[in-house]
């Protein structure tokens, strides 16, 4: 394994060389969606970010077990263990079984991920399918003295844990600050302290989602599923835990605490967090009501959208920013991403038309070096895209004959471009895919007009040739003549 991958570890607040516990193998757990509504742009960011990592690890030769969970129980409306279960509430409002809601929105999430070309994880466990493991995990924490039972619920004793370990080390908060900023909540009298969190919640008589336990009928706390399922599928120690920055506190902080209390040691070695997707500087999310669903992006059916945006435009938009930087939505930014993606796909198409020469005036190894160094530097996808754009200019020079390339170098360049654009960045040529599926009506029409123009030029009917070119230009299609043919691209 020659990779010198460096990742920013949120737990240590520094970049670290990635060294897996088992050479050649990687265990990675990422927090997936709570399935009570359609996936939105905010869901696309962690999905694409950790898909990028998954793809790069595999491309680097690692065998990866990637676990991404589905939360279908236990996530209450408020993070402080109060309110209704989000899925149960949706089921009550729509007069459905909770599992109907969970299944429907899980399928919607999967379809959106397929559209974004996000690869399926190795394992996708459901919280409701691992109740036994969660109960056993709670038992271990109780046995070690870091939890207490109260009126059929079980709560984690944050103060006792903090006396031995450091609660807040992931998020950088200390217990005094947490105490000062946590109010006593109505209906939380079973807790010894307001900052304690539920490992198991007693189900009220009207609560739909409930399971038997040693403490009575109830359901697991939201944080418990990730500790139980990561341990179940990756072991007590594993390499990478990922998720959105909004999960750092309280979710991931509580997960670290309960896992350490049960196991006596850390579980994940590298904690990775993608930054937020924002709208006018405010986090995009269902609870804030400022989200745009992925389906609305694909169809252009939201009032904030000036047009529809293809799935690959959305993916390219996400990848143009480093995963640890904020990414603010605007139509202008998405339109720029659309043009950039089209430019890259057109460059790759042109690459396939280049004829080799006897000598090379370019060195494809430079592209491989730049892309590998960018990816090894904490998954710097914007720098990979920048390198590819630089080489699109070179590809156009090769096409017009101002630069030359041998057959061997052309094969190497083609392999490198396709590896990073398609295999690692996970982009797709939507125009080519649309043509194959019969959905692209633009390409055959343009090609037909260009064939007519070629005939006009051969007959020296320059007026007809110009009329066709001018008509295409007016339709937003740029025509570029080459020695051996004609290229075109959308403006």
């Amino acid at each position: 394994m020659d990779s010198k991958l460096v990742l920013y570890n949120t737990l240590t607040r520094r970049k670290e060389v990635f060294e897996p516990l088992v050479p050649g193998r990687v265990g990675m757990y990422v927090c997936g969606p709570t399935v009570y509504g359609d996936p939105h742009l905010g869901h696309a960011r962690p999905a694409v970010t950790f898909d990028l990592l998954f793809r790069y690890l595999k491309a680097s030769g690692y065998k990866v077990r990637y676990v991404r969970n589905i939360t279908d129980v236990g996530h209450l409306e408020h993070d402080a263990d109060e309110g209704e279960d989000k899925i149960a509430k949706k089921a009550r409002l729509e007069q459905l079984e909770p599992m109907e809601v969970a299944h429907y929105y899980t399928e919607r999430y999967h379809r959106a991920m397929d559209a974004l070309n996000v690869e399926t994880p190795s394992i996708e466990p459901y919280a409701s399918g691992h109740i036994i493991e969660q109960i056993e995990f709670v038992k271990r924490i109780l046995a070690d003295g870091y939890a207490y039972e109260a009126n059929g619920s079980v709560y984690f004793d944050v103060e006792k844990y903090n006396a031995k370990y450091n609660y807040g080390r992931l998020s950088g908060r200390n217990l005094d600050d947490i105490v000062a900023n946590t109010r006593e909540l109505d209906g939380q009298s079973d807790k010894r302290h307001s900052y304690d969190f539920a490992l198991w919640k007693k189900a009220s008589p009207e609560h739909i989602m409930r399971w038997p336990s040693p403490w009575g009928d109830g359901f697991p706390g939201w944080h418990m599923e990730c500790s139980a399922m990561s341990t179940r599928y990756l072991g007590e120690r594993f390499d990478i835990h990922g998720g959105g920055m909004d999960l750092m506190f309280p979710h991931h902080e509580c997960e670290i605490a309960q896992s350490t209390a049960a196991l006596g040691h850390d579980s994940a070695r590298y904690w990775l967090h993608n930054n937020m997707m924002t709208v006018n500087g405010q986090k995009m999310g269902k609870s804030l009501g400022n989200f745009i669903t992925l389906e609305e992006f694909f169809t252009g059916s939201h009032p904030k959208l000036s047009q529809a945006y293809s799935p690959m435009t959305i993916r390219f938009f996400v990848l143009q920013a480093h995963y640890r930087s904020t990414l603010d939505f605007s139509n202008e930014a998405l339109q720029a991403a659309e043009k950039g993606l089209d430019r890259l796909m057109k460059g790759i198409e042109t690459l396939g038309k280049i004829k080799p020469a006897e000598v090379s005036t370019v060195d494809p190894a430079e592209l491989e070096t730049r892309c590998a160094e960018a990816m090894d530097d904490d998954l710097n996808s914007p720098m990979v895209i920048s390198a590819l754009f630089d080489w699109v200019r070179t590809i156009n020079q090769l096409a017009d004959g101002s630069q030359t390339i041998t057959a061997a170098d052309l094969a190497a360049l083609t392999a490198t471009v396709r590896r990073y654009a398609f295999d690692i960045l996970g982009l797709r040529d939507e125009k080519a895919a649309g043509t194959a599926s019969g959905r692209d009506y633009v390409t055959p029409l343009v090609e037909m007009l260009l064939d007519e123009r070629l005939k006009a030029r051969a007959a020296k009917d320059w007026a007809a040739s110009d009329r066709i070119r001018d008509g295409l230009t007016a339709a937003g299609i740029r025509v570029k003549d080459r020695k051996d043919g004609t290229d075109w691209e959308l403006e």
Side-chain angles (χ1 to χ4, degrees), residues 424-444:
I424 293 173
L425 294 182
L427 299 170
R428 256 193 316 234
D429 187 339
E430 288 175 313
K431 189 172 75 171
T435 301
S437 65
R439 288 192 299 268
D440 181 10
Y441 301 104
V442 174
T443 300

Side-chain angles (χ1 to χ4, degrees), residues 74-148:
H75 195 168
L76 303 186
E77 292 177 282
H78 308 292
D79 290 339
D81 303 322
E82 64 172 342
E84 280 189 86
D85 182 292
K86 291 183 176 184
I87 292 169
K89 180 180 180 181
K90 186 82 169 181
R92 177 177 58 78
L93 293 173
E94 298 190 5
Q95 297 184 315
L96 297 169
E97 279 288 329
M99 286 300 108
E100 283 185 273
V101 172
H103 177 74
Y104 176 78
Y105 286 112
T106 299
E107 288 301 300
R108 301 275 288 178
Y109 178 77
H110 285 156
R111 284 199 289 272
M113 294 304 104
D114 287 344
L116 290 170
N117 205 24
V118 170
E119 294 190 335
T120 57
S122 315
I123 302 172
E124 190 176 56
Y126 290 66
S128 64
H130 295 76
I131 300 298
I132 293 172
E133 289 91 338
Q134 294 180 72
I135 289 173
E136 291 303 310
F137 219 93
V138 175
K139 286 180 181 177
R140 291 178 71 171
I141 297 171
L142 274 168
D144 290 337
Y146 291 106
Y148 55 91

Side-chain angles (χ1 to χ4, degrees), residues 3-258:
S3 174
K4 297 183 178 64
L5 176 61
V6 173
L7 298 172
Y8 183 84
N9 190 348
T10 311
L11 193 63
T12 60
R13 290 169 181 73
R14 65 173 184 266
K15 288 183 180 180
E16 298 177 357
V17 175
F18 175 68
E19 295 177 351
L21 284 161
V22 179
R25 293 178 176 265
V26 177
M28 179 168 74
Y29 186 93
V30 174
C31 289
T34 301
V35 283
Y36 70 103
D38 275 337
H40 56 71
L41 188 60
H43 292 119
R45 190 156 202 203
V48 171
T49 294
F50 292 102
D51 184 58
L52 176 68
L53 176 57
F54 184 35
R55 287 170 176 273
Y56 189 57
L57 288 169
K58 290 191 297 178
S60 300
Y62 290 105
K63 182 175 177 59
V64 186
R65 178 176 290 175
Y66 174 20
V67 182
R68 186 186 67 205
N69 69 302
I70 295 288
T71 299
D72 59 352
V73 65
H75 195 168
L76 303 186
E77 292 177 282
H78 308 292
D79 290 339
D81 303 322
E82 64 172 342
E84 280 189 86
D85 182 292
K86 291 183 176 184
I87 292 169
K89 180 180 180 181
K90 186 82 169 181
R92 177 177 58 78
L93 293 173
E94 298 190 5
Q95 297 184 315
L96 297 169
E97 279 288 329
M99 286 300 108
E100 283 185 273
V101 172
H103 177 74
Y104 176 78
Y105 286 112
T106 299
E107 288 301 300
R108 301 275 288 178
Y109 178 77
H110 285 156
R111 284 199 289 272
M113 294 304 104
D114 287 344
L116 290 170
N117 205 24
V118 170
E119 294 190 335
T120 57
S122 315
I123 302 172
E124 190 176 56
Y126 290 66
S128 64
H130 295 76
I131 300 298
I132 293 172
E133 289 91 338
Q134 294 180 72
I135 289 173
E136 291 303 310
F137 219 93
V138 175
K139 286 180 181 177
R140 291 178 71 171
I141 297 171
L142 274 168
D144 290 337
Y146 291 106
Y148 55 91
E149 183 183 353
N151 192 29
S153 294
V154 179
Y155 295 100
F156 190 85
D157 192 332
V158 171
E159 198 168 88
K160 186 169 183 182
Y161 171 85
N162 192 61
K164 182 175 180 181
Y165 303 102
N166 178 12
Y167 183 77
R169 62 197 177 99
L170 179 71
S171 61
R173 307 183 187 202
N174 61 57
L175 193 55
D176 289 339
D177 292 337
I178 294 169
V179 170
N181 290 290
T182 306
R183 61 184 177 88
E184 294 295 336
L185 297 164
D186 294 337
Q188 297 297 311
S189 57
D190 290 338
K191 291 183 180 183
R192 292 176 184 170
H193 304 287
S194 57
Y195 45 80
D196 291 347
F197 58 91
L199 303 176
W200 184 266
K201 285 280 288 182
K202 178 183 179 180
S204 57
E206 68 277 6
H207 198 92
I208 307 171
M209 304 177 82
R210 56 201 300 142
W211 289 265
S213 80
W215 317 286
D217 284 2
F219 54 92
W222 172 35
H223 317 303
M224 181 49 61
E225 63 177 284
C226 292
S227 290
M229 294 192 294
S230 62
T231 302
R232 166 69 177 79
Y233 294 109
L234 298 174
E236 291 193 358
R237 298 182 193 271
F238 58 94
D239 298 301
I240 298 168
H241 195 309
M245 191 173 286
D246 56 320
L247 297 177
M248 197 184 305
F249 189 90
H251 184 51
H252 288 162
E253 198 70 76
C254 294
E255 188 185 337
I256 286 175
Q258 63 196 15

Side-chain angles (χ1 to χ4, degrees), residues 428-481:
R428 256 193 316 234
D429 187 339
E430 288 175 313
K431 189 172 75 171
T435 301
S437 65
R439 288 192 299 268
D440 181 10
Y441 301 104
V442 174
T443 300
L445 179 60
V446 172
E447 298 291 357
M448 181 186 72
L449 290 170
L450 289 178
D451 282 344
E452 291 301 312
R453 182 169 178 263
L454 193 61
K455 291 175 186 176
R457 286 165 64 85
K460 300 189 185 317
D461 186 351
W462 309 119
S465 171
D466 289 347
R467 278 198 305 271
I468 294 171
R469 183 199 61 207
D470 293 346
L472 289 169
T473 301
I477 295 165
R478 183 188 297 120
V479 175
K480 186 175 181 181
D481 291 319

Side-chain angles (χ1 to χ4, degrees), residues 387-402:
L388 289 170
F389 275 162
D390 286 347
W391 272 82
V392 166
R393 283 195 292 272
T394 302
I395 288 166
N396 289 332
Q397 291 168 352
L398 290 167
D400 67 22
S402 60

